[in-house]
Amino acid sequence: MFDYNGGLEMIKAVFFDFDDTLVSKKDHTMRENTEKAIKLLKKSGIIPIIATGRPKYTINEYLDKLSINNAVFLNGHTVWLENKIIHDQIIDEDKARVMFELAEKNDFSYGIINNDGTYLNLHPEKMNDLDVVDIEYMPQKLEKRYIPGNCLWIFAGSRYDNILIETAEQNNMRILRWNEAGVDIISKSVSKQTGVKILLENLGIDFSEVVSIGDGDNDIELLKASKIGIAMGNGSDNLKECADMVTDSIDDDGVYKAMVKLGLI
């Protein structure tokens, strides 16, 4: 474990997960002290950056509010530098169709996500039954035509993980389970960590100069690569096991307390 008591003058950037790290999924709000922490980091000359599984269009409001211009979206598939996209990795159409055929065969609902929208094979009126989808972002109907996307969704419980994992791996992809309701399916070579690496290279920053904080298993690789990896108190057990530090939960100002404890603000 890293000794985080002082000696952090080299830190140049802090990467934040979005859901249940910066903003609560329970009430869709950002705690006052979380926003304060972001502002104080910027005042100290440290760059706050978001690294999320979400597409950009779903959090534009917060990017504007916090004046954050650099971010990694869709678990590393798209990277933005100074509000301009510098990396956009699209899922191959043939591979996407294989996963969608599996979904249709098993009567699973499915979708594809890109920077502009979320497209699902469900009729939008049925979205109220799916807690995992925030309908305020207006998911659109997925037609038979292929829509280029960075990430696939399949709504299937964990008892189907074996067939999902097997089919994804055969097509050079992997699954990231959000919860019992469904999974992300992304390119096998892509993660938040790979997206962050691209961004850091363009910023002239090394992983040894980075702090990362998150709550989910899709944050594991990034936390391991960073100088200091922080798990939220409400985070997964897997993430906590590999973190250098576990802070309080989002409801107890975990982000703010972690930044204070590290002496970054």
Side-chain angles (χ1 to χ4, degrees):
M1 288 298 189
F2 178 80
D3 181 3
Y4 45 81
N5 293 317
L8 296 180
E9 296 82 5
M10 80 293 285
I11 299 301
K12 295 181 179 178
V14 178
F15 283 85
F16 298 92
D17 174 48
F18 186 77
D19 289 303
D20 280 343
T21 298
L22 288 181
V23 172
S24 171
K25 290 178 71 174
K26 183 169 56 181
D27 57 19
H28 305 287
T29 62
M30 178 179 290
R31 304 299 181 256
E32 183 178 342
N33 275 338
T34 300
E35 184 175 352
K36 181 180 178 181
I38 300 289
K39 291 179 178 178
L40 289 174
L41 284 172
K42 295 176 77 171
K43 190 174 180 180
S44 299
I46 297 172
I47 307 171
I49 304 173
I50 290 177
T52 178
R54 281 180 176 255
K56 182 178 184 294
Y57 79 95
T58 64
I59 65 168
N60 279 331
E61 172 190 350
Y62 291 97
L63 295 172
D64 292 341
K65 181 179 182 179
L66 299 169
S67 297
I68 290 179
N69 304 319
N70 304 296
V72 173
F73 299 103
L74 292 164
N75 287 310
H77 280 82
T78 65
V79 180
W80 289 68
L81 172 69
E82 296 300 331
N83 288 327
K84 293 182 180 179
I85 191 164
I86 61 170
H87 179 76
D88 188 27
Q89 185 162 336
I90 301 297
I91 298 281
D92 181 78
E93 179 178 352
D94 291 339
K95 294 176 181 178
R97 290 194 183 281
V98 169
M99 299 308 302
F100 291 162
E101 287 171 8
L102 172 68
E104 289 178 349
K105 180 180 178 181
N106 289 277
D107 199 28
F108 301 148
S109 298
Y110 59 89
I112 193 162
I113 306 94
N114 60 31
N115 289 302
D116 301 314
T118 298
Y119 306 86
L120 303 167
N121 73 318
L122 286 174
H123 191 283
E125 282 146 3
K126 296 180 181 179
M127 301 308 293
N128 289 311
D129 298 328
L130 296 172
D131 292 337
V132 294
V133 177
D134 194 336
I135 60 173
E136 75 177 272
Y137 299 123
M138 299 298 291
Q140 303 173 55
K141 184 77 185 304
L142 180 64
E143 306 294 345
K144 288 297 182 182
R145 64 187 176 86
Y146 177 71
I147 299 170
N150 310 94
C151 175
L152 311 179
W153 278 352
I154 289 184
F155 297 90
S158 58
R159 64 184 181 277
Y160 299 105
D161 276 358
N162 286 342
I163 185 64
L164 290 171
I165 292 170
E166 179 182 354
T167 307
E169 288 185 345
Q170 288 172 354
N171 290 276
N172 202 31
M173 295 188 287
R174 63 188 177 115
I175 73 167
L176 294 172
R177 178 161 291 283
W178 336 307
N179 54 32
E180 188 56 30
V183 297
D184 283 337
I185 300 173
I186 66 173
S187 299
K188 196 170 186 178
S189 62
V190 175
S191 68
K192 285 188 182 183
Q193 188 264 338
T194 63
V196 166
K197 184 175 184 290
I198 292 169
L199 184 55
L200 290 178
E201 287 172 349
N202 281 269
L203 289 169
I205 298 174
D206 188 79
F207 272 110
S208 64
E209 301 169 309
V210 164
V211 170
S212 296
I213 181 168
D215 74 300
D217 286 3
N218 63 338
D219 296 306
I220 289 175
E221 291 163 305
L222 178 55
L223 262 64
K224 285 183 175 180
S226 302
K227 179 69 172 179
I228 306 173
I230 306 168
M232 295 293 290
N234 49 278
S236 72
D237 290 338
N238 289 335
L239 188 69
K240 290 177 181 177
E241 285 179 11
C242 74
D244 298 300
M245 169 183 172
V246 178
T247 188
D248 287 350
S249 72
I250 187 170
D251 292 325
D252 292 318
D253 294 328
V255 165
Y256 180 83
K257 290 177 180 177
M259 298 301 102
V260 170
K261 185 169 185 177
L262 293 175
L264 299 179
I265 60 175

